[in-house]
Amino acid sequence: MYKTKTSKEKMVAGEIYKASGKELFEERQHAKEQLFLFNNLEPSKIKARKQLLKKLLGGTTSRFYIEPPFRCDYGYNIYLGDNFYANYNLTILDCAPVRIGDNVMMGPNVSLFTAGHPIDAAMRASGWEFAKPIVIGDNTWIGGQTVVNPGVQIGRNVVIGAGAVVTKDIPDNVVAAGNPCRVLREITERDRQFFYKNERFRDEDMDSAV
């Protein structure tokens, strides 16, 4: 016998759905309550903030740090790799899974949006929406004010310039920036010698590199 999918099942599957039902509303409310606690704890309560996120998010390791304030829709669709860091005002609309690799850094005001709405105004006003997953590879640095749109995959060892709007997939080992975001160049061995424009690392700095 055919079983009708719930709105939550449709949401996670990437199908068109409506988010106004009781189940999804209550889950969003739960996330808001937990994030209210997280965002309002004293700065010294680092362990307590981490424990709140470990319970809320879908997957973490022991090494991650998110500067408050932080916002998300549900939490359980967010999976953080090892050694993750996000600066102030990270926003993740996690209606679909958001999978972030190891050693990923994010600047202030980064937004990851899995949620989308129909182009047609009447269908949009009817409350229909959809969600497509976002994947961010290992060792990637996303600059401040960047927006990542639904369904995007960003590769490994990538640098995304501040203010980018990422609408399409980005391959491994590149610098990309702009609106819409596009690849500017590949990252090469020469980049290991410089930390900013033509300013070089010292020999002792190179010796201590991972």
Side-chain angles (χ1 to χ4, degrees), residues 185 187-194 197-198 200:
R185 66 176 180 86
I187 295 172
T188 69
E189 186 61 30
R190 183 179 184 276
D191 290 299
R192 193 174 178 85
Q193 303 173 41
F194 300 90
K197 296 185 177 179
N198 293 320
R200 289 179 176 271

Side-chain angles (χ1 to χ4, degrees), residues 16-17 19 93 114-120 123-125 127-131 150:
I16 197 76
Y17 74 101
L93 303 187
T114 69
H117 303 273
I119 296 296
D120 181 81
M123 299 305 291
R124 189 168 63 248
W128 291 109
E129 58 184 82
F130 62 90

Side-chain angles (χ1 to χ4, degrees), residues 27-202:
E27 290 184 344
R28 290 194 301 274
Q29 288 298 103
H30 171 72
K32 289 175 184 177
E33 294 287 349
Q34 297 306 301
L35 291 173
F36 178 84
L37 297 175
F38 172 85
N39 290 325
N40 289 280
L41 279 171
E42 296 91 336
S44 61
K45 303 293 187 181
I46 296 173
K47 290 184 178 179
R49 288 203 305 274
K50 181 173 286 189
Q51 286 304 117
L52 283 169
L53 290 186
K54 286 184 76 70
K55 292 178 181 178
L56 180 65
L57 303 186
T60 66
T61 71
S62 61
R63 296 198 302 166
F64 69 93
Y65 193 90
I66 298 178
E67 296 278 6
F70 164 53
R71 298 283 190 275
C72 67
D73 276 336
Y74 300 98
Y76 54 72
N77 276 327
I78 300 171
Y79 301 87
L80 304 181
D82 191 40
N83 196 30
F84 173 73
Y85 175 79
N87 216 314
Y88 308 111
N89 294 311
L90 173 65
T91 298
I92 303 180
L93 303 187
D94 63 312
C95 307
V98 175
R99 300 186 183 278
I100 299 171
D102 297 339
N103 305 312
V104 171
M105 299 170 57
M106 295 186 180
N109 302 305
V110 168
S111 298
L112 311 180
F113 299 152
T114 69
H117 303 273
I119 296 296
D120 181 81
M123 299 305 291
R124 189 168 63 248
S126 296
W128 291 109
E129 58 184 82
F130 62 90
K132 300 298 180 182
I134 289 172
V135 178
I136 298 172
D138 296 342
N139 308 310
T140 286
W141 172 25
I142 297 181
Q145 305 283 0
T146 293
V147 174
V148 180
N149 281 347
V152 165
Q153 295 192 37
I154 297 174
R156 298 171 298 169
N157 310 314
V158 171
V159 175
I160 302 291
V165 178
V166 190
T167 61
K168 296 181 180 179
D169 293 354
I170 304 295
D172 297 345
N173 304 305
V174 297
V175 176
N179 180 8
C181 187
R182 67 188 189 284
V183 174
L184 301 182
R185 66 176 180 86
E186 292 186 358
I187 295 172
T188 69
E189 186 61 30
R190 183 179 184 276
D191 290 299
R192 193 174 178 85
Q193 303 173 41
F194 300 90
F195 64 90
Y196 180 70
K197 296 185 177 179
N198 293 320
E199 298 183 49
R200 289 179 176 271
F201 285 105
R202 299 169 300 179

